[in-house]
Amino acid sequence: MFTLAMWPFLLWHSLLFFLFSLIAPVCAKKASSEGDDSAMLFFLLAMLSCGLVPWTLWVLWYLLFPGRAEVNKAFPVTSEHGRTRFCRTQAMQERQEADIRKLKTRQISVGFGARLVLLALLWCWLVYIMMQVRQVLATSALYQNFDPYAILEVGGTSSSSQIKKAFHKLSLKYHPDKNPDAAAAEKFILIKKAYDALTDPVAKRNYRLYGNPDGPTRVELSVTLPTVDKEKQGLVLVLFLVPFVIGVPLMLLYCMQSSSVDPNGLPPLTNEVLQNGLGEALDVRAAQELLLLASQPDLPPEPMVHVCAIDYADVRRQLACQGAGHVRKRPQSRAKDEIKLQQAEVLFWGHVLRRKDLLRDLDLLESALREWEKTCKALLQLAAKKGYSQTLQSTLDVFRGLVQAIDPFGKGAGCSAGSLLQIPHFSSEQTRLWQKRHKKYATLPTFLSMPSQERSSALSAEDIGFTASQRADIDEFVACAPQMQIQAARVFVQGEDEICIGDVATLELRLLRSNLQEGQAVGYAHTPLFPSAQVREAWWVTFRLPGRGKSGVSVCSRITDPSREVVAHIRFRVPLAGKCRLRLTLSCESYVGLDMEEVVDYVAKQAVVHEPDDNGESGSEDEDFDE
């Protein structure tokens, strides 16, 4: 099965083959003598040039401007959706600069070094071929403007005896046996050809027709490979087989094998654990447990294993005292799998409770967070594919807890305290004070809608005490935080005026990011405590189709359009007739406390089918049969 990843390779090989077929014969010369191998030299020169020049340009671009393409792709200034609006708080700028530095780091791996050595060897071969071609061209230059009378130093009306006498005279002077000079041998060959052009009938005819006693030597255009000797036909066959007959199939097999790998880059064991543990109604605890089981961080070196197991009990007690009531008290064990699970849980809770001071290995935490991000996204895709809306919402709570460092359980999942912790420089104590004094703006949506002057004066209060730079970060967060609005929602059937049972209906959802200006597009989410500044601001739409009892099927769809005005189309099959109601839930993937609900009503009619007529035929109202 072909994939999009194969087409660049197929296009590249096809282009090379086309260039070889055109350039090589153009440069090839029809050689009359059996020992002339200039055609093969021109063919090799054309073949190497078509491959080495673009390869060398790519290597130079990579070495001179490392990561430029990756940076432009990760942090585009403009896109097809508009000017990208990135969060410019101090913490996010540091995260973005760290990501850019990592993208610009030259990755000189062993494989890349081996390719550089191969490239250098091929360039040496190309230079050697160019030197040989230069010698061939220098020899050919001797026969340009070939004038046998001038070469023999005789006049155009000289007799045969005078021409013969001049030939003998010059032969005695330039014969290799008489003159050891290297240039004398070439001069002697030229004298011999001039003599043949004036005395030999065949050479005389070639000179009169083509200007050369050996016949035509001009370059000819033809889409054919040059003629080579039998001794060198094997080399040409090998040069043809390797890149085209062998290289293209192997590249196709590689692409087909790569396409079968999980797109999230998860190992097969992780996918197997997710598949086996996926359920229709997982709660947050079960989703978190499945996440830790599926992707556990690597253990430290073997001498640190027992120390880590001892640390687990102490860290667990400290986390539990702080409020992590869902930290499971696991039995003390020296089994490797149990120690890995304990370590993963400590890392998880140390991050979501913002107690990194209790963790010894922060690099291990960063690695674990990146793995958990990929695993959560894979679990979200599986739940959406199966239509498990409750499992999807639980996984969203865990994922948002990871990227925002907020407790995903119980009160931390969507309460105002948890959502306000996403604001820069807000601590638990400052959040408590803010909710006590400003109950009207105790949630994240109300905080974002708070008038700027009132917010600035409130943040400057003595008990909260934010500095000018901290207030600037909060203002920047308010400007870039999503303020999504549902403009309109309707259900219709494409090309029809009515909705009937069994039709494929379309839910059209029109959204507006009121925090963006015209022509802007949203950038990445504000995630200062997450090790990556490239967390997308995606949204999930979930709703349950009408059904008898609890038999309704859930529909889950992810919206990734970063535009200011978003139009999403979600298709589903109409299950029942009558007045139907869809309760939509719009959930933000990267922020806590911004979920919204909307109700959409539509009327579905029963498809009318005609009773069978006398001929035993039947039809519907929409069908029109003409005899």
Side-chain angles (χ1 to χ4, degrees):
M1 181 178 181
F2 289 93
T3 61
L4 292 177
M6 302 181 191
W7 294 112
F9 298 105
L10 292 176
L11 182 63
W12 174 247
H13 282 85
S14 303
L15 179 61
L16 286 182
F17 183 77
F18 178 73
L19 292 176
F20 294 161
S21 302
L22 291 180
I23 298 178
V26 169
C27 299
K29 292 171 39 178
K30 282 190 175 181
S32 57
S33 59
E34 295 183 358
D36 190 0
D37 59 348
S38 60
M40 173 59 68
L41 293 177
F42 281 105
F43 175 74
L44 293 177
L45 179 62
M47 185 177 66
L48 286 176
S49 300
C50 290
L52 286 182
V53 172
W55 187 9
T56 304
L57 292 178
W58 178 84
V59 170
L60 291 177
W61 178 268
Y62 178 79
L63 294 177
L64 295 177
F65 309 101
R68 173 171 291 188
E70 290 78 4
V71 171
N72 293 335
K73 182 179 180 181
F75 301 97
V77 178
T78 58
S79 65
E80 58 180 347
H81 305 283
R83 301 186 307 276
T84 308
R85 176 67 165 87
F86 290 106
C87 182
R88 296 302 179 186
T89 61
Q90 183 178 356
M92 287 306 298
Q93 284 185 333
E94 293 176 356
R95 288 290 183 191
Q96 292 173 12
E97 291 173 0
D99 286 357
I100 291 175
R101 285 195 301 268
K102 187 176 296 184
L103 291 173
K104 288 185 175 182
T105 302
R106 294 186 180 93
Q107 301 293 334
I108 308 298
S109 60
V110 177
F112 185 77
R115 290 192 292 270
L116 286 180
V117 173
L118 178 60
L119 181 63
L121 294 176
L122 291 177
W123 269 109
C124 293
W125 188 22
L126 179 65
V127 172
Y128 173 73
I129 293 176
M130 292 177 63
M131 294 174 62
Q132 290 186 317
V133 169
R134 184 177 179 181
Q135 293 179 358
V136 172
L137 294 178
T139 304
S140 301
L142 296 175
Y143 302 102
Q144 292 181 357
N145 301 323
F146 184 79
D147 187 0
Y149 295 100
I151 294 174
L152 295 177
E153 300 178 357
V154 297
T157 58
S158 301
S159 61
S160 300
S161 59
Q162 292 175 336
I163 293 174
K164 187 175 181 180
K165 183 177 180 181
F167 171 71
H168 283 293
K169 178 181 177 181
L170 294 175
S171 298
L172 293 176
K173 182 178 180 181
Y174 294 103
H175 196 279
D177 296 339
K178 303 292 184 179
N179 192 337
D181 190 3
E186 296 181 357
K187 183 67 174 178
F188 176 76
I189 295 175
L190 194 62
I191 293 171
K192 179 65 171 61
K193 289 184 178 292
Y195 178 72
D196 293 338
L198 297 179
T199 57
D200 184 75
V202 176
K204 184 183 296 186
R205 178 178 177 275
N206 288 335
Y207 172 68
R208 186 171 60 254
L209 294 177
Y210 307 110
N212 191 296
D214 295 329
T217 59
R218 65 182 182 274
V219 175
E220 295 184 354
L221 287 174
S222 60
V223 186
T224 57
L225 293 177
T227 305
V228 296
D229 297 337
K230 293 183 179 180
E231 294 81 2
K232 298 181 180 180
Q233 288 180 354
L235 177 61
V236 176
L237 182 61
V238 170
L239 292 176
F240 178 78
L241 287 176
V242 170
F244 300 110
V245 180
I246 299 178
V248 173
L250 288 179
M251 187 63 66
L252 288 176
L253 290 176
Y254 172 77
C255 295
M256 293 175 67
Q257 183 180 5
S258 300
S259 62
S260 62
V261 179
D262 184 76
N264 293 319
L266 297 177
L269 182 59
T270 301
N271 288 321
E272 183 179 355
V273 174
L274 292 179
Q275 292 283 356
N276 296 334
L278 183 65
E280 184 175 359
L282 296 181
D283 57 7
V284 180
R285 178 194 291 269
Q288 183 250 2
E289 189 76 13
L290 180 59
L291 172 68
L292 298 183
L293 287 174
S295 56
Q296 299 172 2
D298 295 332
L299 276 173
E302 193 64 27
M304 293 292 296
V305 172
H306 305 309
V307 177
C308 199
I310 297 173
D311 288 347
Y312 165 74
D314 182 50
V315 173
R316 187 191 66 80
R317 282 193 297 268
Q318 295 186 52
L319 293 174
C321 292
Q322 183 165 338
H326 292 80
V327 181
R328 292 192 175 186
K329 186 176 180 180
R330 302 184 182 275
Q332 291 290 340
S333 173
R334 293 192 175 185
K336 186 175 181 179
D337 292 340
E338 185 64 27
I339 294 176
K340 290 180 66 176
L341 193 57
Q342 294 174 359
Q343 186 185 50
E345 193 165 25
V346 167
L347 293 174
F348 179 89
W349 283 106
H351 172 68
V352 298
L353 294 179
R354 304 188 178 189
R355 288 300 307 273
K356 293 184 180 180
D357 57 299
L358 299 177
L359 305 177
R360 291 187 174 183
D361 195 345
L362 296 183
D363 292 336
L364 185 61
L365 173 63
E366 180 176 341
S367 175
L369 289 174
R370 293 182 183 275
E371 290 298 321
W372 289 338
E373 179 189 14
K374 294 189 294 184
T375 307
C376 275
K377 289 182 177 180
L379 187 56
L380 288 171
Q381 293 176 2
L382 289 175
K385 185 177 181 181
K386 295 288 186 179
Y388 298 162
S389 59
Q390 183 175 342
T391 301
L392 179 72
Q393 292 295 332
S394 300
T395 308
L396 278 177
D397 288 338
V398 176
F399 181 74
R400 291 181 292 205
L402 289 174
V403 298
Q404 295 294 344
I406 294 176
D407 181 8
F409 288 90
K411 296 181 180 181
C415 71
S416 57
S419 61
L420 290 181
L421 286 175
Q422 300 171 106
I423 304 173
H425 311 296
F426 261 64
S427 63
S428 300
E429 180 64 22
Q430 289 168 328
T431 301
R432 185 184 62 81
L433 292 174
W434 179 271
Q435 289 180 322
K436 183 179 179 180
R437 290 197 169 201
H438 307 279
K439 296 182 179 180
K440 184 179 178 181
Y441 306 106
T443 63
L444 182 60
T446 56
F447 182 89
L448 297 177
S449 62
M450 188 176 182
S452 59
Q453 293 292 340
E454 184 178 355
R455 183 178 62 250
S456 179
S457 60
L459 293 174
S460 303
E462 184 177 354
D463 52 355
I464 296 180
F466 285 114
T467 63
S469 61
Q470 291 175 338
R471 293 196 302 270
D473 280 349
I474 295 175
D475 292 339
E476 175 64 20
F477 172 80
V478 172
C480 71
Q483 300 182 37
M484 186 71 80
Q485 298 177 0
I486 300 178
Q487 298 290 91
R490 68 186 182 104
V491 177
F492 65 95
V493 176
Q494 189 71 32
E496 298 183 10
D497 297 331
E498 296 180 343
I499 302 174
C500 297
I501 183 173
D503 288 346
V504 178
T506 300
L507 169 65
E508 183 182 80
L509 195 62
R510 294 184 176 272
L511 307 174
L512 175 66
R513 290 185 171 94
S514 59
N515 60 301
L516 296 182
Q517 298 179 0
E518 193 71 29
Q520 285 187 337
V522 68
Y524 298 115
H526 178 265
T527 56
L529 299 178
F530 196 72
S532 174
Q534 303 178 47
V535 179
R536 291 188 177 277
E537 185 202 299
W539 294 78
W540 283 91
V541 179
T542 59
F543 58 91
R544 181 175 289 274
L545 297 179
R548 295 181 177 86
K550 295 183 179 180
S551 60
V553 179
S554 295
V555 178
C556 309
S557 179
R558 187 170 185 255
I559 301 175
T560 58
D561 190 347
S563 305
R564 180 175 183 266
E565 299 179 359
V566 181
V567 179
H569 292 95
I570 305 170
R571 292 176 174 81
F572 63 94
R573 189 172 294 278
V574 179
L576 294 177
K579 295 182 178 180
C580 302
R581 170 166 292 184
L582 300 180
R583 297 185 179 275
L584 310 181
T585 301
L586 184 63
S587 305
C588 186
E589 185 180 270
S590 52
Y591 289 95
V592 177
L594 297 180
D595 297 355
M596 294 175 287
E597 292 185 353
E598 183 75 7
V599 176
V600 181
D601 296 327
Y602 68 93
V603 178
K605 295 184 178 181
Q606 187 73 35
V608 179
V609 181
H610 290 295
E611 295 294 333
D613 56 15
D614 297 338
N615 297 328
E617 297 179 349
S618 61
S620 64
E621 290 182 341
D622 297 333
E623 294 174 339
D624 186 14
F625 296 94
D626 294 332
E627 293 291 331

